[in-house]
Amino acid sequence: MVSVDVKSEGFSQENIEVKAGVPTKINFIKHTGYTCIRSVQSKDLGIDVYLEKGDNFITLKDLKPGTYNFNCGMYMYYGTITVV
């Protein structure tokens, strides 16, 4: 499992590396409601998840090697998931 802190200044771990073919659980941890980050999206992965305060788990299955982008719903903060 990988944890990503969601803070007012963006994603704290904005570059994630995971292994190909292994289901990966990512926890986007929103510590405060005082951030403009309301959701996490990835066109590359087909996800658009509203983030509640606290834990927000996303499971990614059967990832192929490559780099996948994610961003907040307002396209202000970005990150990548690199699959090796």
Side-chain angles (χ1 to χ4, degrees), residues 14-65:
E14 55 192 31
N15 300 302
I16 302 165
E17 187 172 299
V18 299
K19 293 185 180 188
V22 177
T24 301
K25 186 181 281 189
I26 301 175
N27 185 9
F28 287 89
I29 305 168
K30 189 171 178 181
H31 295 279
T32 178
Y34 297 107
T35 174
C36 71
I37 300 176
R38 303 272 187 252
S39 64
V40 62
Q41 302 174 337
S42 173
K43 289 183 182 178
D44 296 342
L45 298 168
I47 60 172
D48 183 358
V49 178
Y50 180 80
L51 299 175
E52 301 284 346
K53 186 175 177 187
D55 294 327
N56 297 273
F57 295 99
I58 298 172
T59 301
L60 304 174
K61 300 178 182 178
D62 299 326
L63 292 176
K64 306 286 187 242

